[in-house]
Amino acid sequence: MKYDVKNLSLAKKGRLRIEWANEYMKVLELIRMRFRKEKPLKGIKVACCLHVTTETGNLAWTLKEGGADVFICASNPLSTQDDVAASLVKDFKIPTFAVKGEDNKKYYRHINNVLDAEPNITMDDGADLVSIIHKSRKDLAARMLGGTEETTTGVIRLRSMEKSGVLMYPIIAVNDADTKHLFDNRYGTGQSTVDGIIRSTNILLSGSNFVVCGYGWCGRGVAMRARGMGANVIIVEIDPLKALEAVMDGYNVMPLKEACRKGDVFVTLTGNINVIRKEHFKLMKDGVIIANSGHFNVELDIPALEAISKKKRMVREFVDEYTLRDGRRINLLGEGRLINLAAAEGHPASVMDMSFANQALACEYMAKNYKKLDRKVYKVPDFIDKRISKLKLESLGIKIDTLTEEQKIYLESWELGT
Ligand SMILES: NC(=O)c1ccc[n+]([C@@H]2O[C@H](COP(=O)([O-])OP(=O)(O)OC[C@H]3O[C@@H](n4cnc5c(N)ncnc54)[C@H](O)[C@@H]3O)[C@@H](O)[C@H]2O)c1
């Protein structure tokens, strides 16, 4: 079996951590038990380009129990948990190609290692597998049944490929399932981004001015948690509706240039490029902290920061201090890569339970229905989304009410009024 991980002797620790995450992933566990019996993915090769975390370990195990041959590489050079990668190889016999801190060359080599398996389904977080297949390995498209996509940025890339007519096989946008983005993006990114900022700096959030760029699902999660820890949260947006929501949610909303003069901590979660740029760095106070939790490391204009700095030094793990020519310092966290995965452990397992239940069921759906699907980006079917919310509630031991017959009729009729 081919693989490339940091050190196989880390496997024992990785296995224990995968088991710990499993305790909080009851929906995925139920799916795994069914997959074990039914083998819906028998004979299918699944290539996964995901953050190699304990939760991904549980997803890979589930796919394997479903009969799939699974191959894994990282979806970000800094997000791999080396102990998990080791356990996937040693304990689960899953070819894994991921080393935390790998350079760009190795990152793409690992993607190609996984594609060398000639997969039938791609499972992406950021559309890198799809993108490489469409750019340089077009020969692989013919054997492809379809793919799934985990994150907002990946879905945006794939929709743009569909629109330009270049998408060569169907994709299910797992991100767009309600049981994914309403929970993973909001509560998962919310908690783990604050966790990453605190672990890398140990700053006190209480009383700080905390600037969140982007009030989408991720941004509102981070804003909510930072406020909960006593920070004065400032929101920066470009969409009037989102900005208005932020105002009504009780936040200060202002343009970034104004926020730059006030902020102590800045975090971007927009999925956009160069959100914080040279003109912004020039306005910031001495000693500020800047971080990104959006998918790619392009939200902070790091080349511009390098260009206006006279000195750069690593002052803590995951903290690079840039000194500008006038002596002011800007602390960049995690090289501008998603800070929740670079400096913390990513989303808690309980929330990834729903995201990865969607991945597993979308993969099964693709295997059964690929002949009916066109070269388009599809939503996760509603019945899957509803089933996951029901199972998650059950796993949490929470019961809800049901409609009476009278209420059902009332809601379906137009004749009845006061
Ligand atoms: N860190 C993680 O683990 C994690 C998890 C899920 C998603 N993501 C990524 O986070 C990013 C955001 O995802 P989302 O689901 O919140 O997307 P979203 O579309 O819900 O929100 C993005 C928001 O950013 C705003 N925006 C765009 N350009 C801006 C700019 N220049 N200045 C200020 N605001 C701007 C948009 O108007 C929108 O409201 C994506 O890249 C996504 O892939 C990261």
Side-chain angles (χ1 to χ4, degrees):
M1 185 176 98
K2 281 191 183 164
Y3 62 86
D4 186 14
V5 299
K6 188 172 180 196
N7 187 346
L8 280 189
S9 69
L10 298 169
K12 192 172 170 207
K13 183 178 169 207
R15 169 122 211 185
L16 281 171
R17 291 181 59 244
I18 291 172
E19 284 171 12
W20 174 263
N22 182 46
E23 288 298 313
Y24 297 89
M25 302 182 86
K26 294 299 172 200
V27 179
L28 191 63
E29 192 176 48
L30 279 175
I31 295 169
R32 184 160 59 241
M33 279 150 58
R34 179 171 66 76
F35 273 20
R36 192 174 290 156
K37 277 194 241 137
E38 297 176 8
K39 304 281 179 218
L41 304 175
K42 192 155 184 266
I44 292 175
K45 289 184 191 167
V46 183
C48 305
C49 182
L50 301 171
H51 301 297
V52 182
T53 61
T54 55
E55 296 78 18
T56 298
N58 280 292
L59 171 63
W61 178 20
T62 305
L63 300 173
K64 194 166 177 185
E65 292 282 7
D69 288 325
V70 184
F71 303 83
I72 299 191
C73 62
S75 57
N76 186 293
L78 267 192
S79 64
T80 298
Q81 296 172 4
D82 289 316
D83 54 350
V84 171
S87 174
L88 283 172
V89 171
K90 196 165 176 203
D91 304 318
F92 296 90
K93 311 288 177 242
I94 292 175
T96 303
F97 302 86
V99 177
K100 182 162 183 154
E102 59 198 15
D103 60 19
N104 259 18
K105 210 170 136 208
K106 203 176 205 184
Y107 175 75
Y108 283 105
R109 192 172 78 226
H110 283 160
I111 290 183
N112 278 299
N113 286 142
V114 159
L115 291 177
D116 288 344
E118 305 189 330
N120 312 110
I121 290 182
T122 52
M123 193 174 273
D124 259 314
D125 185 337
D128 278 345
L129 288 174
V130 172
S131 157
I132 298 287
I133 289 173
H134 283 70
K135 278 185 197 147
S136 57
R137 303 201 61 175
K138 288 200 171 78
D139 54 304
L140 294 175
R143 69 184 68 242
M144 214 58 84
L145 312 182
T148 64
E149 172 52 52
E150 171 77 6
T151 198
T152 315
T153 286
V155 173
I156 290 171
R157 284 170 106 185
L158 291 157
R159 289 235 155 85
S160 141
M161 290 170 82
E162 178 192 332
K163 209 167 149 202
S164 338
V166 297
L167 189 63
M168 292 195 284
Y169 58 88
I171 301 288
I172 297 181
V174 165
N175 180 73
D176 294 358
D178 286 342
T179 46
K180 200 280 182 180
H181 67 271
L182 292 180
F183 301 91
D184 168 316
N185 300 30
R186 183 165 33 174
Y187 304 109
T189 313
Q191 177 170 316
S192 60
T193 299
V194 170
D195 185 12
I197 292 170
I198 292 175
R199 283 201 213 189
S200 51
T201 60
N202 198 27
I203 53 159
L204 181 72
L205 286 190
S206 197
S208 69
N209 291 333
F210 193 102
V211 181
V212 177
C213 299
Y215 198 63
W217 293 111
C218 293
R220 65 192 58 198
V222 174
M224 190 196 292
R225 293 297 170 250
R227 176 155 72 182
M229 294 192 73
N232 305 308
V233 177
I234 297 170
I235 302 292
V236 174
E237 251 298 345
I238 47 94
D239 179 332
L241 185 74
K242 301 280 174 62
L244 193 55
E245 278 187 278
V247 170
M248 299 277 171
D249 285 343
Y251 297 106
N252 291 308
V253 177
M254 60 188 75
L256 184 52
K257 277 195 173 163
E258 211 178 311
C260 280
R261 295 194 166 86
K262 303 187 174 164
D264 300 304
V265 182
F266 297 79
V267 56
T268 49
L269 307 104
T270 69
N272 209 342
I273 192 167
N274 294 337
V275 175
I276 303 188
R277 306 178 293 272
K278 187 161 125 187
E279 65 255 42
H280 302 120
F281 297 134
K282 288 192 162 172
L283 298 171
M284 288 177 179
K285 299 190 288 191
D286 178 37
V288 295
I289 287 164
I290 58 171
N292 167 52
S293 209
H295 188 77
F296 287 119
N297 63 336
V298 295
E299 303 209 13
L300 307 170
D301 187 352
I302 300 170
L305 181 59
E306 301 259 354
I308 59 170
S309 298
K310 62 176 183 191
K311 196 171 127 198
K312 172 187 171 185
R313 62 180 185 136
M314 191 178 171
V315 287
R316 285 170 67 99
E317 200 182 4
F318 305 117
V319 186
D320 286 319
E321 177 199 74
Y322 287 83
T323 307
L324 309 193
R325 291 202 187 90
D326 63 6
R328 277 177 308 116
R329 291 155 307 158
I330 292 179
N331 294 299
L332 169 68
L333 306 190
E335 299 170 15
R337 300 196 186 274
L338 4 84
I339 191 60
N340 60 329
L341 281 141
E345 291 174 66
H347 296 8
S350 178
V351 85
M352 290 314 290
D353 189 21
M354 290 186 277
S355 308
F356 284 170
N358 271 294
Q359 283 287 10
L361 296 180
C363 198
E364 178 186 30
Y365 181 84
M366 186 61 84
K368 285 191 180 147
N369 296 285
Y370 68 96
K371 284 189 185 144
K372 295 184 217 153
L373 303 178
D374 294 325
R375 297 167 177 192
K376 288 184 179 162
V377 179
Y378 289 90
K379 274 197 70 187
V380 171
D382 264 359
F383 76 90
I384 291 184
D385 218 353
K386 288 222 165 67
R387 208 158 153 241
I388 292 173
S389 55
K390 200 165 165 274
L391 288 174
K392 187 67 184 175
L393 275 177
E394 276 171 28
S395 77
L396 295 170
I398 294 167
K399 295 192 173 67
I400 60 169
D401 283 346
T402 48
L403 290 171
T404 63
E405 276 314 307
E406 183 193 30
Q407 287 168 342
K408 276 188 206 160
I409 295 167
Y410 182 80
L411 290 176
E412 278 163 15
S413 64
W414 57 270
E415 296 94 340
L416 298 172
T418 44

Coordinates of all heavy atoms in Angstrom, one line a residue, residues 151-153 180 184-185 189 214-219 236-239 242 269-272 275 293-295 299 338 340-341 347, ligand 1:
T151 N -17.4 22.7 1.0 CA -17.4 24.1 1.5 C -17.9 25.1 0.5 O -17.9 24.9 -0.7 CB -16.0 24.4 2.0 OG1 -16.1 25.6 2.8 CG2 -15.0 24.7 0.9
T152 N -18.3 26.3 1.0 CA -18.8 27.4 0.2 C -17.9 27.7 -0.9 O -18.4 27.9 -2.1 CB -19.0 28.6 1.2 OG1 -19.5 28.2 2.4 CG2 -19.8 29.7 0.5
T153 N -16.6 27.9 -0.7 CA -15.7 28.3 -1.7 C -15.6 27.3 -2.8 O -15.6 27.6 -4.0 CB -14.3 28.6 -1.1 OG1 -14.4 29.8 -0.4 CG2 -13.2 28.6 -2.1
K180 N -25.9 21.1 7.0 CA -24.4 21.4 6.9 C -24.2 22.8 7.3 O -23.8 23.1 8.4 CB -23.9 21.0 5.5 CG -22.4 20.9 5.5 CD -21.6 22.2 5.5 CE -20.1 22.0 5.4 NZ -19.5 23.3 5.4
D184 N -22.4 23.6 10.8 CA -21.0 23.5 10.6 C -20.4 24.9 10.4 O -19.5 25.3 11.2 CB -20.7 22.6 9.4 CG -19.3 22.6 8.9 OD1 -18.7 23.6 8.7 OD2 -18.8 21.5 8.5
N185 N -20.9 25.6 9.4 CA -20.3 26.9 9.1 C -20.5 27.9 10.3 O -19.7 28.7 10.7 CB -20.9 27.5 7.9 CG -20.7 26.6 6.6 OD1 -20.6 25.4 6.8 ND2 -20.6 27.2 5.5
T189 N -17.5 26.7 12.8 CA -16.5 27.7 12.5 C -16.4 28.8 13.6 O -15.4 29.3 14.0 CB -16.7 28.4 11.2 OG1 -17.0 27.4 10.2 CG2 -15.5 29.2 10.7
G214 N -17.1 39.8 6.9 CA -18.0 38.8 6.3 C -19.0 38.3 7.3 O -18.6 37.8 8.4
Y215 N -20.3 38.6 7.1 CA -21.3 38.2 8.0 C -22.2 37.2 7.4 O -23.4 37.2 7.4 CB -22.1 39.4 8.5 CG -22.9 39.2 9.7 CD1 -22.3 39.0 11.0 CD2 -24.3 39.3 9.7 CE1 -23.0 38.8 12.1 CE2 -25.1 39.1 10.9 CZ -24.4 38.8 12.1 OH -25.1 38.6 13.3
G216 N -21.5 36.2 6.7 CA -22.2 35.0 6.2 C -22.4 34.0 7.3 O -22.3 34.4 8.5
W217 N -22.5 32.7 7.0 CA -22.8 31.7 8.0 C -21.6 31.6 8.9 O -21.8 31.5 10.2 CB -23.1 30.4 7.4 CG -24.5 30.5 6.7 CD1 -24.7 30.5 5.3 CD2 -25.7 30.8 7.3 NE1 -26.0 30.7 5.1 CE2 -26.7 30.9 6.3 CE3 -26.1 30.9 8.7 CZ2 -28.0 31.1 6.6 CZ3 -27.5 31.1 8.9 CH2 -28.4 31.2 7.9
C218 N -20.4 31.6 8.4 CA -19.2 31.5 9.3 C -19.0 32.7 10.1 O -18.8 32.7 11.3 CB -18.0 31.3 8.4 SG -17.9 29.7 7.5
G219 N -19.1 33.9 9.4 CA -18.9 35.2 10.1 C -19.8 35.4 11.3 O -19.4 35.8 12.4
V236 N -17.8 43.9 9.3 CA -17.5 44.6 8.0 C -18.2 43.7 6.9 O -18.0 42.5 6.9 CB -16.0 44.6 7.7 CG1 -15.6 45.1 6.3 CG2 -15.3 45.5 8.8
E237 N -19.0 44.3 6.1 CA -19.7 43.6 5.0 C -19.8 44.4 3.7 O -19.5 45.6 3.7 CB -21.2 43.4 5.5 CG -21.5 41.9 5.8 CD -21.4 40.9 4.6 OE1 -21.3 41.3 3.5 OE2 -21.4 39.7 4.9
I238 N -20.1 43.8 2.6 CA -20.3 44.5 1.4 C -21.8 44.3 0.9 O -22.2 45.0 0.0 CB -19.3 44.0 0.3 CG1 -19.3 42.5 0.2 CG2 -18.0 44.5 0.5 CD1 -20.2 41.8 -0.8
D239 N -22.5 43.3 1.6 CA -23.9 43.0 1.2 C -24.8 43.8 2.1 O -24.8 43.6 3.3 CB -24.1 41.5 1.3 CG -25.5 41.1 0.9 OD1 -26.4 41.9 1.1 OD2 -25.6 39.9 0.5
K242 N -26.9 41.6 4.5 CA -26.2 41.0 5.6 C -25.8 42.0 6.6 O -25.8 41.8 7.9 CB -24.9 40.3 5.1 CG -25.2 39.2 4.1 CD -25.6 37.9 4.7 CE -26.0 36.8 3.8 NZ -24.9 36.4 2.9
L269 N -13.7 36.0 6.9 CA -14.4 34.8 6.6 C -15.4 35.1 5.4 O -16.6 35.1 5.6 CB -15.3 34.3 7.8 CG -14.5 34.1 9.1 CD1 -14.8 35.2 10.1 CD2 -14.9 32.8 9.7
T270 N -14.8 35.5 4.3 CA -15.6 36.0 3.2 C -15.6 35.1 2.0 O -16.5 35.2 1.1 CB -15.1 37.4 2.7 OG1 -13.8 37.2 2.1 CG2 -14.9 38.4 3.9
G271 N -14.6 34.2 1.8 CA -14.4 33.5 0.6 C -14.0 34.4 -0.5 O -14.0 34.0 -1.7
N272 N -13.5 35.6 -0.2 CA -13.1 36.5 -1.2 C -11.6 36.8 -1.1 O -10.9 36.4 -0.2 CB -13.9 37.8 -1.1 CG -14.0 38.6 -2.4 OD1 -13.3 38.3 -3.3 ND2 -15.0 39.5 -2.4
V275 N -9.1 40.9 1.0 CA -10.1 41.7 1.8 C -9.4 42.7 2.7 O -9.8 43.9 2.7 CB -11.0 40.7 2.6 CG1 -12.0 41.5 3.5 CG2 -11.7 39.7 1.7
S293 N -10.2 32.8 8.4 CA -10.8 31.5 8.6 C -11.6 31.1 7.4 O -12.4 30.1 7.4 CB -11.6 31.4 9.9 OG -11.7 30.1 10.4
G294 N -11.4 31.9 6.3 CA -12.0 31.5 5.0 C -11.2 30.4 4.4 O -10.1 30.1 4.8
H295 N -11.7 29.8 3.3 CA -11.1 28.6 2.8 C -9.7 28.7 2.3 O -8.8 27.9 2.7 CB -12.0 27.9 1.7 CG -11.4 26.6 1.3 ND1 -11.7 25.5 2.1 CD2 -10.7 26.2 0.3 CE1 -11.0 24.4 1.6 NE2 -10.4 24.8 0.5
E299 N -7.4 35.8 1.6 CA -8.3 36.9 2.1 C -7.5 38.0 2.7 O -7.9 39.2 2.7 CB -9.3 36.3 3.1 CG -10.1 35.2 2.5 CD -11.5 35.0 3.1 OE1 -11.9 35.9 3.8 OE2 -12.1 34.0 2.8
L338 N -6.6 28.9 7.2 CA -7.8 28.8 8.1 C -7.3 28.5 9.5 O -6.8 27.4 9.8 CB -8.9 27.9 7.7 CG -8.9 27.0 6.5 CD1 -8.2 25.7 6.8 CD2 -10.3 26.8 6.0
N340 N -8.7 28.0 12.4 CA -9.3 27.0 13.2 C -8.7 25.6 13.0 O -8.7 24.8 13.9 CB -10.8 26.9 13.0 CG -11.2 26.6 11.6 OD1 -10.5 26.9 10.7 ND2 -12.3 25.9 11.4
L341 N -8.2 25.4 11.8 CA -7.5 24.1 11.5 C -6.0 24.2 11.7 O -5.4 23.2 12.0 CB -7.9 23.6 10.1 CG -9.3 23.0 10.1 CD1 -10.1 23.4 8.9 CD2 -9.3 21.5 10.3
H347 N -13.5 21.9 13.5 CA -14.8 21.9 14.1 C -14.9 20.7 15.1 O -14.4 19.6 14.8 CB -15.9 21.7 13.1 CG -16.0 22.8 12.1 ND1 -15.1 23.8 12.0 CD2 -16.9 23.0 11.1 CE1 -15.5 24.7 11.1 NE2 -16.6 24.2 10.5
Ligands
LIG1 N1 -12.7 27.7 8.7 C1 -13.6 26.7 8.4 O1 -13.4 25.6 8.9 C2 -14.6 26.9 7.3 C3 -15.8 26.2 7.4 C4 -16.8 26.4 6.5 C5 -16.6 27.4 5.5 N2 -15.4 28.0 5.4 C6 -15.1 29.0 4.4 O2 -15.4 30.3 4.9 C7 -15.7 31.2 3.9 C8 -17.1 31.9 4.2 O3 -18.1 30.9 4.1 P1 -19.6 31.2 4.5 O4 -20.3 29.9 4.4 O5 -19.7 32.1 5.7 O6 -20.0 32.0 3.1 P2 -21.2 33.1 3.0 O7 -21.3 33.2 1.5 O8 -22.3 32.7 3.8 O9 -20.6 34.4 3.6 C9 -19.5 35.2 3.1 C10 -19.9 36.7 3.4 O10 -18.7 37.5 3.1 C11 -19.2 38.7 2.5 N3 -18.1 39.3 1.8 C12 -17.6 39.0 0.5 N4 -16.6 39.8 0.2 C13 -16.4 40.7 1.2 C14 -15.5 41.7 1.5 N5 -14.6 42.1 0.6 N6 -15.6 42.4 2.7 C15 -16.6 42.0 3.6 N7 -17.5 41.0 3.4 C16 -17.4 40.3 2.2 C17 -20.4 38.3 1.7 O11 -21.3 39.4 1.4 C18 -21.0 37.2 2.6 O12 -22.0 37.8 3.4 C19 -15.7 30.4 2.6 O13 -14.4 30.5 2.0 C20 -15.9 29.0 3.1 O14 -15.4 28.0 2.2 C21 -14.4 27.8 6.3

